[in-house]
Amino acid sequence: MNLWQISEDTFNPETKHMRSQETVYSVGNGYFCTRGTFDEGYPRATPATLLFGVFDAVAIAKEELANAPDWTSLGLIINGERFRLDKGKILNYYRMLDMQEGILRRTIHWETPTGIRIKIYSERVASLADEHVGVVLYRVTNDSSSDLDIALWTNFNTAVGNYDLMHWETVDQGFEGEVMWLQSETKKTKVQLAQTMSLTTTLPEYRTEYLSSYIAPSIRLYGKLAAGATIEAEKLVVMYTTRDNVEPVPTALTHHRKLLNTTTGEATQGLIYDQLLVKHKEAWQQFWQEADVIIEGDEKSQLAIRYNIYQLRINASAHDDRYSIAAKGMTGFGYRGHIFHDTEIFMLPFFTYVLPDFARNLLLYRYHLLPAARKKAASNGYEGAQYPWESTLDGEETTPSSIIHPETGEVIPVLNGFIEYHISASVAHAVQAYWEVTGDDAFMQNYGAEIVLSTATFWGSRVEKATDGTYEITNVIGPDEWHEHVNNNAFTNYMARQNILDAIKDLHWLQTTAPAKARDLVQQLNLTDERMKHWQDVIEKLRIPQDPQTKVFEQFDGFFQLEELDQEQFKGRKDSYQGILGIHAIQKYRIVKQADVLMLLTVLSQNFDLETKRANWDYYFPITDHDYGSSLTPAFHVILACELGLGDAAYKQYVLGGLVDLENLRGNTPEGIHTACSGAVWQAAIFGFAGLKVTDEGYTTNPSWPSDWTRLAFKIRHKGELISIDLKK
C-alpha cells in the first residue's frame, strides 16, 4: 500500500459512486480545482472547474462559484469508433491520485465493440508551480495486430453548468498559431475568463485541424498508429480572469506561447510536460516538507490525514485575500462556494500553525468585509460588526431564506442568516489565535484588533439586560442547529464573553505598543469609558447556563427539560434524526446534530478543568448524532476524548472524520469535499493524539496513542520558528 496514493482498480459505473469519486479525485492548486471526471466524458457525469472567487448570480442564495468551460475534455476515436467506458469491454482499469506529487493518473486496457484492443494512459495536473496552468498527458498504445486510424479530439466544453444552471456566455474565440483561445463571461457578474489550449504530440506525421464552434471550439489531432506503437499527446491549458487585474486573452496567450517556446530538449521532442512536471513536483515537495504528518503503524490513518491535508492545500489560494475557503472548497457545488465559520474554527488552525501566510490572507478576507459586517449589524439594530452566516465576496448575507431539505425533500425555511450569531465570535477567536501563535504584531495592529473590537462592540449591543441585572442573548441558533429560537446558548454566550475579554486586552496592548493606532480606533469605534464599563459589566454578568453541582453546561435554557430520544428504535437508520423526525419534531428532543457544548470545551480548552470536561462529555457525547448529524465534529471530539483518556472513542471518531469523503460516509461527497472536516482531522491528530499545547514560552505534547500507532511526527511554526516534533510510542 502506497501511503501517498488514493487508488481504485475496479470501474464502478453506478452514478452516485462515480460522482463521489469525481470529488475524491479532484486536482487543484488554489487558483482552480477540477473534479476527477474522465477526459472522454461519461453519461451523467458532473465535470466542474471552479476558480477561486469567481461567482455568478443565482436566485435566493445570491451567487455561487461558476462552473467554467471544461478544459479537460479529450476524446479518442479508433477506426471511427469512439472510446467510451460505457461501451466495449474494460480489460483492465486503474486510477490513482498521487497526493505527494499532485498528479491524477489513469490506466485502461480496452476492447472496442468490434474487437480492437488499445491501452490508454493519462495524467492530469493543476500546476502548483504555475497556478494558471492545467495539463493533460495522454498516451494511446495500439494493442492490436494491425495499423489503426487514431484521432484525438479536444475542446473547451462550454455546455457545462452548476447542474442545470449555465453561468457563462462565449464572448469570442480564435486561433493564434497552434494555440486556440476561448473568451467567456459570467452572465450576471461580468467576470471574463480567457482559456488557451494547445494539443501537441511526439509523432510529427500526425496532422492537426482547428475547428471553431459556438459551444465547443476544438482541436483534432489525427493519423495512423502502427501495431504496438504509442502516441503521446499533451494538452496544455492556461487560464486568466479579470480578477487577475489583467486583460485575460492577451495575457493568457503570452503565457501560453512562453511555455511552448521553452527549450525542451531532444528527448521530449517538443512536449513541455516533463519540464512543467519538474517544477510542479518541486512545489509539492516544498509543501509536504512542512505540512506532512507522519503516522506509523496504521496505514489507513496515514492515508486519511494526508488526503485531508492535500484538500486543504488545493482549495486555498497562496496570495488572494479577497475570498476564503468554502465549506465544500472548489470541489463541488454544495453550499455554492459560500464561506461559513467552518473556515475560522475548523480550517484556520492548520494554516496558522503550518502556512501562516495563508492564514493571514484568510483573516484579511474578514477584515476587508468589516464594512458589510457593520452594515448588517446596523440593519438589525445593533452596533459594531456582525458577520453574515454565509458570505462570498462583498460580505453581505448570502444564506438562502429557504432550501430543499437534502433528506426529506421538503422546502424548509433557513433561519441561520437571521439568528445564528456565533460566527462573529468565531472570527474574533481566529484572529486572537493567529496572533498568539504567529506573534504577527503588525497584523494585529493594522487589522486584527479592529476585527476583535468591532465584534465585541456588536456583542455589547446584542446582549439584553434581564430584570435580575444579568445579561442574556435570546432567540438564537447555536452550533447544534437542530434547535432554533433558543435563549442563552452556552457556546454563543461564552464565545461572546471571550470576544469582549479579548477586545479589552487587545485595546490595552494596542495603547502600549501603537498608541496612535489605538487613539484612531477609540475614536473610530466610539470606545468610550462608558462602553468599557458596559463591557466589563457584561463579562461579569452574562448568563452562561451551567449546573453548579454537576458542572454540566445546559446547551440552552430549557434543554435539560426536553424529552429524551430513544435512539435504540432507530438502529440501522440511513438518515439523520432530523431527516427522520422532521425539522419541527426534532426540537422537542435532547438530541444534538453536532458538537455545541463539547465544541466550546475544545475551542476554549484552556478555560475548563478536566472535571468539567468529563462531566459534559458524559452528558453530551451519547446524545450526539455521530453517524448522520454532521461531518464537522467527529474529529473535534477526538481532542476532548484524548484529554479524558478515552482512547477507543477518540480513534473511532478520528476514523469517522478522516474517511468521511474517501468512503462517502455521509452520502454527500458528490457535492464536494468536507473541507471543514479536513481541518478538524489535522487538529485531531495534532491537538488530540499528539496533545500539542502552545504558549508564549514554547510548546508541550502529551501523546494519546491509538493501539496500532507507533510514531507521530509533524512540523509547526511558532512565532516564525519552524519546529519539528517527532513522537514515538
Side-chain angles (χ1 to χ4, degrees):
M1 183 179 188
N2 188 309
L3 301 180
W4 287 99
Q5 297 175 354
I6 305 299
S7 63
E8 60 181 10
D9 57 12
T10 302
F11 177 68
N12 181 348
E14 191 270 323
T15 299
K16 189 171 184 179
H17 174 81
M18 284 197 64
R19 289 183 173 178
S20 175
Q21 297 302 80
E22 290 171 8
T23 298
V24 168
Y25 286 93
S26 294
V27 298
N29 57 19
Y31 185 83
F32 70 91
C33 282
T34 296
R35 286 171 63 82
T37 47
F38 298 117
D39 303 319
E40 309 83 7
Y42 196 85
R44 295 174 297 282
T46 53
T49 292
L50 301 176
L51 297 106
F52 195 80
V54 176
F55 283 85
D56 196 35
V58 292
I60 301 175
K62 187 181 178 184
E63 58 185 2
E64 65 184 0
L65 290 177
N67 185 10
D70 182 19
W71 66 274
T72 66
S73 178
L74 208 167
L76 169 63
I77 299 172
I78 312 105
N79 283 2
E81 294 182 277
R82 182 177 142 216
F83 166 69
R84 42 189 293 179
L85 284 164
D86 60 332
K87 302 291 184 182
K89 184 186 297 184
I90 298 173
L91 305 174
N92 187 45
Y93 170 91
Y94 182 72
R95 180 162 60 159
M96 179 264 287
L97 174 65
D98 187 327
M99 299 176 290
Q100 188 174 27
E101 298 182 341
I103 303 173
L104 177 61
R105 297 184 173 98
R106 187 196 58 175
T107 303
I108 297 173
H109 192 191
W110 185 70
E111 184 178 287
T112 72
T114 58
I116 299 171
R117 291 190 173 190
I118 59 167
K119 292 179 180 178
I120 300 169
Y121 175 80
S122 66
E123 293 186 1
R124 181 186 299 173
V125 165
S127 174
L128 199 66
D130 188 343
E131 66 180 13
H132 298 279
V133 172
V135 61
V136 174
L137 181 72
Y138 201 86
R139 293 190 192 122
V140 181
T141 300
N142 183 351
D143 193 36
S144 298
S145 57
S146 58
D147 293 356
L148 300 175
D149 289 320
I150 294 292
L152 296 177
W153 199 305
T154 189
N155 58 45
F156 287 129
N157 182 9
T158 65
V160 294
N162 293 47
Y163 295 127
D164 297 327
L165 184 59
M166 309 292 286
H167 283 297
W168 296 88
E169 291 181 327
T170 298
V171 176
D172 202 357
Q173 58 181 284
F175 302 92
E176 190 171 295
E178 60 189 301
V179 180
M180 190 204 82
W181 57 271
L182 173 71
Q183 183 181 13
S184 308
E185 184 177 73
T186 52
K187 293 182 177 181
K188 303 295 184 182
T189 56
K190 303 302 179 185
V191 176
Q192 290 208 350
L193 164 68
Q195 295 170 295
T196 59
M197 172 176 67
S198 59
L199 183 65
T200 52
T201 178
T202 55
L203 300 181
E205 64 271 19
Y206 270 65
R207 288 166 289 177
T208 304
E209 183 179 13
Y210 300 92
L211 302 161
S212 296
S213 165
Y214 286 111
I215 62 170
S218 308
I219 302 175
R220 186 168 75 103
L221 196 66
Y222 60 100
K224 292 284 187 181
L225 188 63
T230 297
I231 176 176
E232 183 175 69
E234 165 192 276
K235 179 177 183 177
L236 177 66
V237 172
V238 174
M239 291 181 274
Y240 279 88
T241 77
T242 44
R243 279 177 51 81
D244 297 309
N245 297 316
V246 297
E247 287 292 329
V249 173
T251 304
L253 284 168
T254 300
H255 191 158
H256 202 124
R257 282 194 300 268
K258 183 178 179 181
L259 291 173
L260 291 178
N261 292 336
T262 301
T263 303
T264 58
E266 295 180 2
T268 53
Q269 299 181 26
L271 294 190
I272 65 166
Y273 181 71
D274 290 344
Q275 291 193 26
L276 286 172
L277 208 58
V278 167
K279 295 177 181 177
H280 171 74
K281 288 179 179 179
E282 287 174 352
W284 273 108
Q285 182 183 32
Q286 183 178 355
F287 168 74
W288 286 115
Q289 281 176 350
E290 296 193 8
D292 190 22
V293 175
I294 298 171
I295 297 171
E296 292 184 356
D298 182 348
E299 293 183 341
K300 183 172 280 191
S301 291
Q302 176 66 90
L303 201 63
I305 197 164
R306 281 179 174 155
Y307 183 74
N308 283 285
I309 293 170
Y310 166 83
Q311 287 296 336
L312 289 169
R313 176 60 189 91
I314 70 171
N315 285 286
S317 172
H319 55 81
D320 191 341
D321 59 17
R322 296 167 295 171
Y323 180 55
S324 185
I325 309 177
K328 292 284 189 179
M330 297 182 287
T331 60
F333 305 134
Y335 298 114
R336 302 179 184 272
H338 293 184
I339 309 303
F340 297 72
H341 92 139
D342 298 27
T343 308
E344 282 75 24
I345 292 296
F346 297 96
M347 297 181 242
L348 204 77
F350 164 78
F351 293 101
T352 296
Y353 280 91
V354 180
L355 299 170
D357 290 346
F358 283 63
R360 196 178 203 267
N361 283 335
L362 292 170
L363 291 172
L364 282 173
Y365 164 78
R366 294 296 190 183
Y367 176 79
H368 297 323
L369 302 186
L370 268 174
R374 292 191 175 104
K375 181 180 176 182
K376 180 176 173 67
S379 69
N380 290 326
Y382 305 123
E383 298 177 300
Q386 179 190 357
Y387 281 99
W389 182 244
E390 299 181 32
S391 62
T392 53
L393 299 180
D394 62 10
E396 294 186 3
E397 184 63 70
T398 55
T399 307
S401 56
S402 61
I403 61 169
I404 298 174
H405 195 287
E407 293 168 303
T408 66
E410 62 181 323
V411 177
I412 60 171
V414 177
L415 301 176
N416 309 69
F418 300 104
I419 59 174
E420 191 159 3
Y421 296 103
H422 59 85
I423 186 172
S424 296
S426 295
V427 172
H429 169 76
V431 168
Q432 207 71 25
Y434 167 80
W435 180 39
E436 290 167 1
V437 172
T438 64
D440 188 349
D441 290 348
F443 172 82
M444 202 62 185
Q445 290 173 356
N446 295 322
Y447 312 108
E450 186 175 347
I451 294 174
V452 178
L453 290 164
S454 299
T455 48
T457 301
F458 163 71
W459 290 117
S461 69
R462 177 61 182 82
V463 298
E464 308 143 51
K465 198 159 191 176
T467 54
D468 62 359
T470 63
Y471 292 92
E472 299 183 292
I473 302 177
T474 63
N475 191 28
V476 305
I477 296 174
D480 166 29
E481 295 187 337
W482 278 352
H483 297 87
E484 301 170 340
H485 299 295
V486 303
N487 299 332
N488 298 311
N489 169 252
F491 183 91
T492 303
N493 286 26
Y494 204 108
M495 290 289 286
R497 185 173 72 177
Q498 187 65 45
N499 191 164
I500 298 172
L501 269 167
D502 288 336
I504 293 172
K505 289 190 297 183
D506 294 348
L507 181 58
H508 290 159
W509 172 81
L510 205 60
Q511 288 168 334
T512 302
T513 60
K517 181 67 174 180
R519 286 193 296 272
D520 288 346
L521 287 179
V522 165
Q523 182 176 8
Q524 175 191 338
L525 305 180
N526 194 27
L527 303 177
T528 62
D529 290 343
E530 183 181 2
R531 190 185 298 279
M532 293 297 107
K533 289 177 184 176
H534 173 61
W535 284 5
Q536 195 61 50
D537 200 38
V538 172
I539 289 169
E540 294 169 4
K541 298 176 183 176
L542 182 59
R543 185 152 182 248
I544 312 287
Q546 183 182 24
D547 188 311
Q549 276 74 44
T550 65
K551 295 199 170 185
V552 175
F553 288 98
E554 188 171 21
Q555 185 170 298
F556 54 81
D557 288 351
F559 184 83
F560 289 158
Q561 281 70 54
L562 296 179
E563 295 179 34
E564 180 181 356
L565 180 67
D566 180 10
Q567 298 182 55
E568 287 296 313
Q569 66 175 304
F570 299 104
K571 275 193 170 181
R573 66 194 168 94
K574 297 297 181 184
D575 292 314
S576 72
Y577 290 119
Q578 187 192 60
I580 295 169
L581 298 172
I583 64 169
H584 299 294
I586 192 72
Q587 300 193 48
K588 68 180 183 179
Y589 292 106
R590 269 181 289 133
I591 192 73
V592 179
K593 172 188 176 184
Q594 57 195 2
D596 192 311
V597 169
L598 295 187
M599 185 161 75
L600 170 65
L601 302 182
T602 308
V603 172
L604 296 180
S605 177
Q606 71 279 4
N607 290 18
F608 308 102
D609 58 31
L610 277 178
E611 185 182 355
T612 300
K613 291 176 180 177
R614 184 173 295 279
N616 283 274
W617 173 279
D618 290 344
Y619 186 87
Y620 284 104
F621 188 78
I623 60 172
T624 301
D625 187 350
H626 302 289
D627 296 318
Y628 295 100
S630 170
S631 68
L632 295 180
T633 48
F636 244 35
H637 284 125
V638 173
I639 301 171
L640 207 50
C642 286
E643 275 196 273
L644 298 174
L646 303 172
D648 290 344
Y651 183 72
K652 182 178 180 182
Q653 293 295 306
Y654 176 83
V655 170
L656 279 176
L659 301 179
V660 67
D661 289 311
L662 288 174
E663 297 185 1
N664 193 17
L665 297 179
R666 305 277 166 169
N668 57 359
T669 298
E671 299 293 320
I673 287 295
H674 295 79
T675 48
C677 188
S678 294
V681 168
W682 182 88
Q683 292 189 61
I686 306 309
F687 303 139
F689 294 124
L692 177 73
K693 293 189 183 300
V694 174
T695 66
D696 284 342
E697 289 71 39
Y699 74 92
T700 60
T701 58
N702 183 25
S704 299
W705 293 100
S707 58
D708 294 333
W709 292 23
T710 58
R711 183 185 176 209
L712 177 55
F714 56 94
K715 294 176 183 175
I716 61 167
R717 287 192 176 273
H718 182 226
K719 297 189 183 300
E721 179 186 359
L722 183 63
I723 300 169
S724 295
I725 299 173
D726 196 339
L727 306 174
K728 295 178 181 177
K729 196 170 185 178

